[in-house]
Amino acid sequence: MDVPHPTFAAGRHSPRLSRRTLLQAAGGLGLAGGLAGCSTLSAGIAGTEVAPGTVQFWNLFSGGDGARLQTMLDDYTKKHGTAALEAATFAWGNPYYTKVSLATLGGHPPDVAVSHLTRAQNLARGGLLSEITDDMLAMVGLSADDFTESVWEQGKVDGKVYALPLDIHPFVLYYNIDVCQAAGVMDGDNMKPIQGLEQWESTLTAIKEETGEFALAVPTIADNATCWRWFYTLYSQHEGATPFLSDGGKELTWNEDIALKVLEHMQKWTTSGLMPKNADYAGAQTMMFTGRSGLYMMGGWEITTAQSVKDLKFGMTAIPQIFDKKAAQCDSHVFILPTMDRSAERTQRAMEFVKEMLDQSLAWAAGGHIPTFTRALDSQEFRDLKPQNNYAEVIDYVVFTPPAWYSGSGSTFENIIGAQIGLVAQDLATPKEGLDQARSQLEVYARTADPLATGEQS
Amino acid sequence: MSTAPTNATGPSVDSRVEGRADATDLDRRRASRDVAIRPGTKHEARAGWMFLLPFAIVYVLFLIWPVIYMFISSMFNTSLVETGLGSFAGFDNYREMLTKEEFWKSLWNTLVFTAFTVPPLVILAFVLAVLANRVRRGQWFFRLAFFVPFILPSAAIALIWNFIFTPGTGLWNSLQSALGNESPSPVLGTPSLAMLGVAVTTVWWTIGFNFVLYLAGLQDIPRELYEAAAVDGASQWQQIKSITIPLLGPTTSLVILLQIIASLKIFDQVYLMTGGGPGLSTQVVLGLVTNTAFTDYRVGAASAASVLLFIVIVVVALLRQAMEWFSARRAD
């Protein structure tokens, strides 16, 4: 750039920056930065608490859940002061669990974190979680009886407790009341009961005739988790649906015939136009919100988004029994205490925080979740909570994503199989091709020695 | 190549790559004089090392050592949740990677991405630089316009292009719908289109860097050459062909090398835009490495994949170097 250009020469009128001014400025900046970062930095180097007396809390709640959690956290800070809590929210799925794992291995985990039950088991097996003993529960007046038994038992690894469940969040059906009323599939504010494939398809057809576009919207693009939730719900509704994975993921044991049959149905519904072939997470819910589709399926948490849509009248209910028996995919949000050297005082603080969150289970339930804290679940307030009481029964027949070191919510397993289910629903792969592709990828994981097994002894 | 010394005196990017085979006598004499006047006492050598030390420590700790560790742990069943290297695995990790469909698919995708991005990023950058260089008034605007995307972080780029590619309501699909396509394919949701979508994003994002390198090269070409050519009756196209392109040769070879290496290291855009999907259709080697090490906790296996990518990059760089060497020989 030998040729001076007008733009580059613009600086010639400005006073020249001397070396001294530059150094002074840099020193000032460095000092300011040093003061601000000092406590964190020194705590980091010395390995001490960043802010003594503060509970550090990590979670994965965004959207409606995030807003609801914030009110619960505000309640906590109102009682204990803003300095008592440092909460951080991260994007969910594999990246979140990577952060929790690396922070724990690096010796600086949060005091308390949220996890999915299906992921907490793996974290515990990797030696990344502190056991929660009866004594610790007793510190804040809790015991095993305070939690729904089925979920409590699921959270155990080798008979030890590592997870305190907050909720169960099943995959549910949302309906646009105006559309469904016009389609004649409503009985008052609830949908007419649907049982069996025939009724299901005739309901969808009636709704499609009303909307002129789709009957039911479920994401097919860039949402592996939901593709899996939908597929696994249908798979589990079959008699003879064998466990999808066995022996901690070493064996792929799904019933090939049922899996293919389910995929064929899913593809038939999208290619016949009852469901959209191409919809992403936001796109699918918008279709129901705007009446382009009468139904929509997602975890209960989207209730908050739906409530924020002006003039939308909607309801929620359990996914109907389309095949042989009732089933709905679900997971559970739990509190975990990552492994670290905790003083008794610090443990007490962490447990108190969890207890106060559990005490607000009803506020959490308003966000579409089913509480697993029995005091909330059995309360009259929850029984009266609409539309949650429409689907609270699913707690008796929910199915969790099968356990394996590469499995759980938002895991590699869900990404692999969910991607293929999505491609089948998009009509870009045949059911056979999709399932074969998933199998060949999963076989590599099934064959690989469990990298967490070694952590079990520690 | 043989014309390169004409602009060797200018402080330009070119001077880093040119002038090996054809260093003039003058250069050689200057070099020997430099050696002769270098004091080279022990004391000064020590001072030199001291100056180097702060950088050297960081370099060894954060670059050399991790690379060595990568080679070592690739031979062990190293787990993230365990201290130490774990049990000895020999070449099992390599065997696993070399027989795994996901690895070959990622490697293929990485090469496809490189093939999709290098030609447009070199040719388009050249064309845009030539055009921008001809603009008499308001050239700053074009320079700014082409360079601005480059300074945006990858997360911002991913948001912008995810919005453009949103199925149904996004800019691109809306445009197709407006033009009469009933159900346009979602770019990032269709296996055959997803990598193209990522490539387009990358071209838009990073073209500014190559553009600036070319522009700098162009401004180093003396105007007299064009004037002389014009006097001899050379057309615009002949001027570009016989003056601009040959004189930009060193810049082009630098741009191509940097671009190939950058493209082989693709990670951010894929991670943020598609997460490797749909299926494995955009999974790239660095994505596979990250997943294996930090999601699957298998540092050993991930190290083996890294070593394999390392080998591929070295081979590609050597191949390109060899090609240049041959073409230089032929030119002589």
Side-chain angles (χ1 to χ4, degrees), chain B residues 182-194:
Chain B
E182 288 276 310
S183 63
S185 296
V187 176
L188 298 177
T190 310
S192 54
L193 293 178

Side-chain angles (χ1 to χ4, degrees), chain A residues 24-78:
Chain A
Q24 277 170 349
L29 273 179
L31 193 64
L35 284 176
C38 156
S39 61
T40 320
L41 190 67
S42 60
I45 290 169
T48 53
E49 281 183 70
V50 174
T54 300
V55 173
Q56 279 190 303
F57 171 57
W58 284 9
N59 66 80
L60 39 71
F61 299 124
S62 54
D65 275 353
R68 213 158 293 262
L69 177 79
Q70 195 53 51
T71 60
M72 292 161 67
L73 296 177
D74 287 347
D75 197 77
Y76 182 84
T77 47
K78 219 175 279 164

Side-chain angles (χ1 to χ4, degrees), chain A residues 351-434:
Chain A
M351 290 302 294
E352 264 165 20
F353 172 77
V354 173
K355 169 72 169 35
E356 291 201 21
M357 289 292 116
L358 289 171
D359 282 341
Q360 299 189 60
S361 282
L362 280 172
W364 187 245
H369 308 283
I370 302 172
T372 44
F373 195 46
T374 44
R375 291 172 215 178
L377 181 64
D378 299 337
S379 69
Q380 195 54 45
E381 286 100 315
F382 181 69
R383 287 200 190 106
D384 293 340
L385 194 62
K386 265 188 151 322
Q388 282 84 337
N389 53 11
N390 275 349
Y391 58 86
E393 58 164 66
V394 302
I395 206 160
D396 296 329
Y397 56 77
V398 285
V399 283
F400 285 83
T401 298
W405 67 266
Y406 52 89
S407 180
S409 276
S411 64
T412 307
F413 167 75
E414 283 196 2
N415 285 338
I416 289 176
I417 190 127
Q420 296 305 323
I421 296 165
L423 290 177
V424 171
Q426 284 176 263
D427 199 22
L428 293 173
T430 66
K432 181 96 177 63
E433 282 165 4

Side-chain angles (χ1 to χ4, degrees), chain A residues 105-128:
Chain A
L105 292 165
H108 294 280
D111 292 289
V112 181
V114 166
S115 166
H116 286 96
L117 184 69
T118 52
R119 300 298 293 252
Q121 291 161 337
N122 282 334
L123 294 173
R125 290 195 315 114
L128 299 173

Side-chain angles (χ1 to χ4, degrees), chain A residues 1-3 5 7-8 94-95 97-98 101-102 105 119 122-123 126-128 221-222 278-280 292 405-406 412 416 419-420 423 426 428 437 440-441 444-445 447-449 451-452 454-455 458, chain B residues 9-12 79-82 96 99-102 139-140 143 166-169 183-186 188-191 212 215-216 219-220 271 273 277-280 288 291-292 294-298:
Chain A
M1 263 214 235
D2 307 54
V3 192
H5 190 275
T7 347
F8 291 134
N94 277 338
Y97 295 104
T98 301
S101 301
L102 290 180
L105 292 165
R119 300 298 293 252
N122 282 334
L123 294 173
L128 299 173
I221 295 173
N278 300 323
D280 62 0
R292 290 176 60 199
W405 67 266
Y406 52 89
T412 307
I416 289 176
Q420 296 305 323
L423 290 177
Q426 284 176 263
L428 293 173
Q437 175 64 29
S440 84
Q441 282 184 55
V444 178
Y445 284 89
R447 271 201 312 268
T448 303
L452 298 170
T454 43
S458 63
Chain B
T9 44
S12 73
S79 165
L80 196 63
V81 295
E82 251 187 311
E96 177 195 329
T99 53
K100 175 152 128 174
E101 189 200 348
E102 194 183 351
Q139 202 194 82
W140 64 270
R143 284 203 307 228
T166 303
T169 52
S183 63
S185 296
L188 298 177
T190 310
V212 164
L215 205 60
Q219 296 187 343
D220 266 353
Y271 183 78
M273 292 175 70
L280 288 176
L288 172 77
N291 283 350
T292 311
F294 300 114
T295 304
D296 299 345
Y297 304 100
R298 300 178 62 223

